[in-house]
């Protein structure tokens, strides 16, 4: 039995060694020619339940209000891509390089270079390198986001002011950019 175990271990190790010997290094010049698909897509069917959200006023006459049994549900999808700086600038700038209005801008950033006297605003910390772009695509769904609160109560009272719901929340077309500064 001991010999059988030893043979099994030897067989396993030799098969790993044969796989490793099949790996060959790739030169930088050859690797730079390799391309693939970029980006990631994410889809989710949300069912978020929050027991309560409580605001407490901490001064001497303070009280509290609680929002109870908060529910968020619906479908959401997003794409995540890395875009270069030139693409980012073209997407967020209010004006094109020729001075015409950029009708496709996502953020509408007005650069002091394009409009004399404009606030530096976002332009003051715009990236100089690549940017992560998160976009929520135009997707038709019967499960748009919804949010509801079952009760709103003051202090330790059991009486409720009522409830509220926000239905058919559509985030499609939203774009978020992330970069270091």
């Amino acid at each position: 039995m001991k010999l059988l175990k030893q043979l099994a271990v030897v067989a396993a190790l030799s098969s790993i060694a044969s796989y490793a010997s099949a790996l060959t290094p790739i030169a930088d010049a050859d690797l730079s020619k390799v391309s693939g698909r970029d980006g990631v897509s994410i889809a989710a069917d949300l069912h978020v339940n929050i027991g309560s959200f409580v605001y407490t006023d901490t001064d001497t006459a303070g009280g509290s209000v609680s929002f109870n049994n908060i529910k968020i549900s619906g479908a959401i999808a997003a794409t995540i891509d890395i875009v270069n700086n030139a693409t980012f600038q073209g997407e967020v700038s209010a004006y094109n390089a020729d001075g015409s209005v950029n009708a496709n801008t996502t953020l509408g950033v007005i650069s002091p270079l394009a409009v004399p006297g404009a606030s530096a605003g976002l332009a003051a910390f715009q990236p100089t390198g690549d940017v992560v772009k998160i976009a929520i695509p135009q997707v038709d769904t019967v499960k748009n986001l919804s949010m509801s609160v079952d009760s709103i109560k003051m202090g330790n009272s059991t009486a409720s002011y009522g409830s509220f719901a926000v239905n058919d929340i559509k985030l499609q077309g939203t774009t978020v950019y992330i970069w270091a500064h």
Side-chain angles (χ1 to χ4, degrees):
M1 186 70 173
K2 186 175 180 182
L3 179 62
L4 185 59
K5 287 182 183 178
Q6 289 174 343
L7 288 173
V9 169
V10 168
L13 290 174
S14 64
S15 68
I16 292 171
S18 69
Y19 285 122
S21 68
L23 298 175
T24 56
I26 299 174
D28 286 344
D30 293 332
L31 189 57
S32 68
K33 297 175 188 172
V34 175
S35 67
R37 299 189 64 155
D38 62 343
V40 175
S41 295
I42 300 171
D45 182 12
L46 300 177
H47 297 279
V48 179
N49 294 301
I50 302 168
S52 66
F53 170 79
V54 180
Y55 169 76
T56 303
D57 186 354
T58 57
D59 68 12
T60 55
S64 66
V65 61
S66 63
F67 298 83
N68 304 295
N69 299 319
I70 302 165
K71 297 177 185 92
I72 302 170
S73 63
I76 189 167
T79 60
I80 303 173
D81 292 297
I82 306 297
V83 297
N84 64 35
N85 194 270
T87 300
F88 171 76
Q89 297 296 335
E91 290 181 5
V92 303
S93 297
Y95 296 95
N96 297 315
D98 65 3
S100 63
V101 173
N102 181 359
N104 298 317
T105 185
T106 55
L107 296 181
V109 175
I110 299 175
S111 166
L113 299 174
V115 178
S119 164
L122 181 62
F125 66 97
Q126 282 192 5
T128 56
D130 293 344
V131 174
V132 176
K133 176 182 177 182
I134 302 171
I136 300 177
Q138 298 286 348
V139 176
D140 290 327
T141 178
V142 295
K143 295 186 79 171
N144 285 323
L145 291 175
S146 296
M147 183 182 105
S148 64
V149 175
D150 287 348
S151 66
I152 304 167
K153 298 178 180 178
M154 294 296 290
N156 296 323
S157 173
T158 58
S160 173
Y161 283 105
S163 63
F164 72 86
V166 180
N167 298 310
D168 204 25
I169 302 169
K170 295 181 181 177
L171 299 174
Q172 293 88 343
T174 300
T175 304
V176 177
Y177 299 95
I178 303 171
W179 66 90
H181 58 88

